[in-house]
Amino acid sequence: MSGIPDLAAVEAMDATDPLRAMRDRFILPEGVIYLDGNSLGAASHAVFGELQQAATQEWARDLIRAWNTAGWFEMPIELGDQLGRLIGAAAGQTVVCDTTSTNIYKVLHAAMEMRPGRSAIVAEGDSFPTDLYIAEGVASTRDGVLLRLAGVDAPTIEDLIDENVAVVLVNHVNYKSGELRDMAALTRRAHTAGALIVWDLCHTAGALPVELDQANADFAVGCTYKYLNGGPGAPAFIYAAQRHHGDISQPLSGWWGHARPFAFERGYVAGTGIRRFLCGTQPVLSMRALKGALAIWSDVDMAALRKKSVAQTELFIQLVEAKCGAYGLTLETTRDATRRGSQVSFLHDHGYQIMRALIERGVIGDFRAPSTIRFGFTPLYVSYKDVWLAVEVLEDILRTGAWKDQRFAVKEAVT
Amino acid sequence: MSGIPDLAAVEAMDATDPLRAMRDRFILPEGVIYLDGNSLGAASHAVFGELQQAATQEWARDLIRAWNTAGWFEMPIELGDQLGRLIGAAAGQTVVCDTTSTNIYKVLHAAMEMRPGRSAIVAEGDSFPTDLYIAEGVASTRDGVLLRLAGVDAPTIEDLIDENVAVVLVNHVNYKSGELRDMAALTRRAHTAGALIVWDLCHTAGALPVELDQANADFAVGCTYKYLNGGPGAPAFIYAAQRHHGDISQPLSGWWGHARPFAFERGYVAGTGIRRFLCGTQPVLSMRALKGALAIWSDVDMAALRKKSVAQTELFIQLVEAKCGAYGLTLETTRDATRRGSQVSFLHDHGYQIMRALIERGVIGDFRAPSTIRFGFTPLYVSYKDVWLAVEVLEDILRTGAWKDQRFAVKEAVT
């Protein structure tokens, strides 16, 4: 076992971790090693503080006046700018609102309008499913739109990008395998064919440095409840490059996107810039929780975050392969750290039962059909010791066959 | 002043008010008479309790597991059924999700799909503006759709309903005048022409008894942050009559509306029933706040609510006309209580300044351009004494000309 870190070695890594102090800002239950922040991030003291203030001070005390006094109305823009700093977006290009699914719908419509005469939407066959469902929905309302999928209609997404393509919808990190795409390269490829590109950042925003402006991206969407820790179902976001702002039109044309939302005019007149993606009244309490979560990031060095994330995924792979190699696990995630998000997936024929057994033992990851067990590493609150202990538990479950217990065989929804 | 109730008389009304105890469930700031619950309802102890539990117990402690253990995933349906009881909808026909604007978009698309060959959407020229903006948005994605408006293309909405109309979108109570439509009669009129009807209940849900099933309505939408007190931007709702459930299709086809949302399938397959209107991941914290707000209603007799609402609007009109009759106010709301929602509007050339002066004195209503001052009466927490005192302050402001102060002339957004 030479070269495999022992407990003392990982404790030493924690001792010198520059992000170590961040963990205290979060609330983590006793007895839990949480490796599912890529599905739902953890709660923080800052979130509780904002929620408390929004509910008991602003709403209860100021009532309707809080829309102005507490700045509720500008929150989508202000939180958008704050979030923009984490994804390489200069101010005025990001807005927080609605859900990722709804935002994909808006963005795809906008992109199709900007490329009249082109009929194809290109996406990945192994995309996060809701992206494809929404692309189908967009296609259903537009004549002659084709949805072409990598892995189905051609081997790779690059193969599908031609002069008939209006827009490419792509996941920056694949939710299952954890594979990270080269944003700048694929964006260039799309632009060379005259197509626009929409990046789904659900699995990268807050997980690693993202450089939308630098990559010359057109649009991006994402959620805020995974690595950004905004809370369950926290509002999502949209990014649109400044150069497109004058051309944005989308059919979810609700009052909040109007040029004069308080004038109560009869006809719709689109507002300016990124506001054109706003539609209805946003859930203020959930939005304020997100405000607390985003505040934490002003103290985070994204380069240090990425460094720790890579070290943790490397450590996890190394430990699992060294200690659990005999039990039929196959690494699904790439070994190339530069092409890996902040997660590691293994395949196992009995992955569902293994994950259930892990969760019962307090090691929380998740399962994705048919056979993926998935572990997310959130550098803000996961320690190297957590990584080491998680593998200890996994090894024990595999060695003893604890996962074969009947109670783990009954399928339950695992969100 | 014979026949005009004095303070002792209104205090006697409060003493025998069967809803009197409800006020204690809400948090109302000192020194405020809140007559704007038709814009943003008040906070309640029940809401704070649910928020606290959702954040510090469920999310922080159970993390991803809370989707199952705390029942988050079923909330849109469960809250929908709870809300359904207040709007005359049998179980399984109402779902809580997204925003009113987004929900109108979904419902109008669904209705247009159900009436192929018909090209018109009919709405009211003086509709709540976002309804019209969204109808425009729907029309923009469908070939040859006409938007026809009452008060613009013909005098009344009934005049516009013919065999070319797919769907009628109508406000149950007009946000400005407070006029209440006869739901059963207009629904019959739409059906006679073979059209479908969508009722916007933003200003009636929680304000008075609504009988969707009994009126044979097709669809309804509404918000939950006005008379239902769900909190700022609380999730909205959609109702669809059972008989239409097999025919619902709408293009915001996100994962939550899928038949098997956790199977991660590549193609969209619509779920059953009202779930077809679900799209993306809902804001759980805002949803849980709403759960607290809706719990209060299990103890409310809707007939008693309506009786108090009518008594309060009648009292307000009577007192304003008796005490402020000399100052140029014109009643905008109908005198016929059976055609009135739970609000009263007056017109005044200087309405904006008058409302600002009222708010500064702690009487909170709102202003709608060009000249409406609007007062909402939420029987759960507004007392008869509140009504009486509000008129005292209004009279004082008008008599002394306090509203003419320079500081009230500067226009600020009034949400």
Side-chain angles (χ1 to χ4, degrees), chain B residues 1 4 316-326:
Chain B
M1 288 279 220
I4 303 303
F316 187 72
I317 293 170
Q318 182 188 20
L319 291 173
V320 171
E321 295 197 328
K323 299 184 178 188
C324 310

Side-chain angles (χ1 to χ4, degrees), chain A residues 343-407:
Chain A
Q343 71 177 69
V344 175
S345 301
F346 284 95
L347 301 169
H348 193 288
D349 289 345
H350 300 284
Y352 179 80
Q353 287 101 312
I354 292 167
M355 184 50 70
R356 296 259 331 256
L358 279 168
I359 291 171
E360 196 184 74
R361 293 276 298 272
V363 176
I364 304 182
D366 58 25
F367 170 76
R368 290 293 176 258
S371 57
T372 296
I373 54 175
R374 196 176 74 146
F375 303 88
F377 299 86
T378 301
L380 294 192
Y381 54 73
V382 172
S383 68
Y384 291 98
K385 186 175 172 183
D386 284 340
V387 177
W388 195 86
L389 290 173
V391 180
E392 291 296 290
V393 174
L394 177 61
E395 191 273 339
D396 187 74
I397 284 168
L398 291 167
R399 181 174 38 76
T400 61
W403 59 267
K404 293 174 187 165
D405 192 290
Q406 262 308 105
R407 73 186 181 285

Side-chain angles (χ1 to χ4, degrees), chain A residues 55-65, chain B residues 20-37 40-45 48 229 308 362 364 376 378-383 386:
Chain A
T56 67
Q57 300 300 310
E58 298 166 7
W59 175 23
R61 192 193 58 202
D62 290 348
L63 292 158
I64 189 68
R65 298 166 294 187
Chain B
R20 190 183 187 185
M22 300 305 296
R23 186 176 170 111
D24 293 337
R25 306 226 190 161
F26 292 87
I27 295 117
L28 294 163
E30 287 290 312
V32 162
I33 294 172
Y34 196 56
L35 304 181
D36 208 16
L40 174 64
S44 59
H45 300 288
F48 291 175
N229 310 303
K308 180 173 174 185
I364 303 182
T378 301
L380 295 192
Y381 54 74
V382 171
S383 67
D386 284 340

Side-chain angles (χ1 to χ4, degrees), chain A residues 162-176:
Chain A
D162 60 28
E163 64 292 337
N164 193 35
V165 175
V167 56
V168 179
L169 170 64
V170 69
N171 294 193
H172 195 197
V173 156
N174 180 284
Y175 77 103
K176 222 163 159 181

Side-chain angles (χ1 to χ4, degrees), chain A residues 105 130 133 136 255 265 268, chain B residues 105 130 133 136 253 255 265:
Chain A
Y105 187 85
T130 207
Y133 304 159
E136 269 191 52
W255 77 278
E265 295 172 13
Y268 186 74
Chain B
Y105 186 86
T130 207
Y133 303 159
E136 268 191 52
S253 44
W255 78 278
E265 295 171 15

Side-chain angles (χ1 to χ4, degrees), chain B residues 250-262:
Chain B
Q250 57 87 15
L252 277 164
S253 44
W255 78 278
W256 211 328
H258 197 281
R260 292 167 293 277
F262 297 105

Side-chain angles (χ1 to χ4, degrees), chain B residues 10-244:
Chain B
V10 296
E11 283 177 340
M13 292 164 87
D14 281 325
T16 57
D17 171 12
L19 291 171
R20 190 183 187 185
M22 300 305 296
R23 186 176 170 111
D24 293 337
R25 306 226 190 161
F26 292 87
I27 295 117
L28 294 163
E30 287 290 312
V32 162
I33 294 172
Y34 196 56
L35 304 181
D36 208 16
N38 51 333
S39 193
L40 174 64
S44 59
H45 300 288
V47 163
F48 291 175
E50 287 290 334
L51 257 186
Q52 178 85 6
Q53 191 189 326
T56 66
Q57 300 299 311
E58 297 167 7
W59 175 23
R61 192 192 59 199
D62 289 349
L63 293 156
I64 188 67
R65 297 166 295 186
W67 278 102
N68 300 319
T69 57
W72 290 348
F73 192 72
E74 287 303 316
M75 269 201 297
I77 300 294
E78 284 175 13
L79 298 188
D81 283 344
Q82 221 171 326
L83 200 159
R85 289 195 283 274
L86 305 176
I87 54 176
Q93 300 179 106
T94 312
V95 68
V96 168
C97 60
D98 298 325
T99 68
T100 307
S101 297
T102 304
N103 289 344
I104 293 172
Y105 186 86
K106 294 184 246 179
V107 161
L108 286 182
H109 267 292
M112 296 297 293
E113 288 294 316
M114 288 166 61
R115 289 294 179 269
R118 290 177 175 235
S119 64
I121 300 174
V122 163
E124 302 152 290
D126 63 349
S127 172
F128 193 71
T130 207
D131 299 36
L132 301 182
Y133 303 159
I134 292 291
E136 268 191 52
V138 170
S140 77
T141 69
R142 306 183 71 95
D143 279 342
V145 170
L146 296 170
L147 182 56
R148 298 163 74 189
L149 301 183
V152 178
D153 299 307
T156 74
I157 203 154
E158 289 83 357
D159 298 329
L160 289 168
I161 302 175
D162 60 28
E163 64 292 337
N164 193 35
V165 176
V167 55
V168 179
L169 170 64
V170 68
N171 294 193
H172 195 196
V173 157
N174 181 284
Y175 77 103
K176 222 163 161 181
S177 71
E179 175 130 6
L180 172 67
R181 284 198 182 270
D182 182 335
M183 181 178 281
L186 191 60
T187 298
R188 268 196 307 275
R189 178 71 189 81
H191 289 177
T192 301
L196 296 164
I197 193 159
V198 177
W199 287 93
D200 181 334
L201 305 181
C202 282
H203 294 84
T204 45
L208 46 89
V210 178
E211 296 293 349
L212 286 169
D213 285 348
Q214 206 175 293
N216 208 22
D218 298 299
F219 299 103
V221 295
C223 76
T224 64
Y225 50 74
K226 296 182 191 285
Y227 295 96
L228 293 170
N229 310 303
F237 67 87
I238 306 186
Y239 158 91
Q242 181 86 45
R243 65 183 177 281
H244 296 315

